[in-house]
């Protein structure tokens, strides 16, 4: 049986992400981070799809700690590069996970490209009492030819979502969150969690 409020582990140590999702969920759910459950493990994510990586992280927590939990994985998929960097977005330019180096590499690989269309895609894997669920969000846009804006993180300065004339790094955060891949996936997760019976 679940407890009330339902306690869920979000398999992340990114407190910004954790607070964002907690605010959307309200008081019916209590989120815990990896450090809240004293998990300092380097959780493996060595699959080749976002879905498999998200499931791998959520299953690791569920199997080791027994908590209902969810995990996310995100990638930037560029058409001209056949979906690269995709699942390797964080370490596109190497294990240092250096955002500026990743941007430089992507811009170099798109030099002269005729098509700059791309999308961010997030997959969230949720496990509640052993049952697995998947939620997906995407945002389509283009890769700009240079950096614009200083806010945000990752590839934000070179990604302009369709329908807007500024990059993610130039947008106020609430606007980015309302249209982003992660925002859409989290919205689906939250809608689903709210349908779960109280215990
Ligand atoms: P993660 O799965 O959320 O850790 O995302 C993997 C990588 O994708 C990050 O290290 C970033 O390089 C990139 N990324 C994910 N979300 C965003 C975003 O909202 N803006 C820009 N880059 C992102």
């Amino acid at each position: 049986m679940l407890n009330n409020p339902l306690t869920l582990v979000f398999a992340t140590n990114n407190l910004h992400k954790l607070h964002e999702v907690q605010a959307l969920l309200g008081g019916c759910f209590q989120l815990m981070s990896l450090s809240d459950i004293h998990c300092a493990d380097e959780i493996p994510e060595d699959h080749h799809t976002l879905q498999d990586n998200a499931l791998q992280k959520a299953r690791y927590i569920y199997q080791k700690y027994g908590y209902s939990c969810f995990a996310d994985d995100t990638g930037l998929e560029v058409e001209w590069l056949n979906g690269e960097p995709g699942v390797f977005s964080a370490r596109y330019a190497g294990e240092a996970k250096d955002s500026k180096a990743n941007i430089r590499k992507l811009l170099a690989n798109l030099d002269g490209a005729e098509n700059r269309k791309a999308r961010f895609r997030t997959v969230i894997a949720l496990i509640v009492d052993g049952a697995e669920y998947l939620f997906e969000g995407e945002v389509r846009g283009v890769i700009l030819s240079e950096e614009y804006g200083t806010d945000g993180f990752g590839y934000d300065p070179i990604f302009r979502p369709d329908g807007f004339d500024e990059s993610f790094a130039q947008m106020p955060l609430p606007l980015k969150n309302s249209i982003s891949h992660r925002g859409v996936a989290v919205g689906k997760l939250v809608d689903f969690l709210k349908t779960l019976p109280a215990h």
Side-chain angles (χ1 to χ4, degrees), residues 14 17 45 50 57 72-76 85-92 97-99 102 120-123 139 152-157 159 168 176-177 180-182:
N14 181 333
K17 279 191 196 172
E45 46 176 319
L50 300 176
K57 287 186 275 186
D72 68 342
D73 203 27
T74 294
L76 175 63
V87 75
F88 304 109
S89 294
R91 58 199 71 202
Y92 191 40
K97 297 187 181 177
D98 178 342
S99 290
N102 288 340
F120 275 112
R121 201 158 64 85
T122 292
V123 175
V139 59
F153 71 102
Y155 299 90
D156 276 349
F159 184 83
F168 263 169
K176 179 191 165 188
N177 288 341
S180 80
H181 44 301
R182 200 167 19 258

Side-chain angles (χ1 to χ4, degrees), residues 16-94:
H16 174 81
K17 279 191 196 172
L18 190 92
H19 291 145
E20 193 179 290
V21 180
Q22 179 73 70
L24 287 165
L25 278 171
C28 301
F29 299 89
Q30 176 69 51
L31 289 189
M32 292 194 296
S33 68
L34 292 175
S35 61
D36 288 334
I37 61 167
H38 308 293
C39 172
D41 303 0
E42 190 69 42
I43 301 177
E45 46 176 319
D46 50 19
H47 288 283
H48 293 273
T49 66
L50 300 176
Q51 175 174 323
D52 286 347
N53 274 343
L55 277 169
Q56 185 180 26
K57 287 186 275 186
R59 285 176 184 155
Y60 183 95
I61 297 302
Y62 188 74
Q63 284 160 9
K64 181 162 180 185
Y65 298 90
Y67 285 111
S68 291
C69 60
F70 63 93
D72 68 342
D73 203 27
T74 294
L76 175 63
E77 300 171 342
V78 180
E79 283 189 9
W80 186 254
L81 303 174
N82 300 314
E84 275 188 22
V87 75
F88 304 109
S89 294
R91 58 199 71 202
Y92 191 40

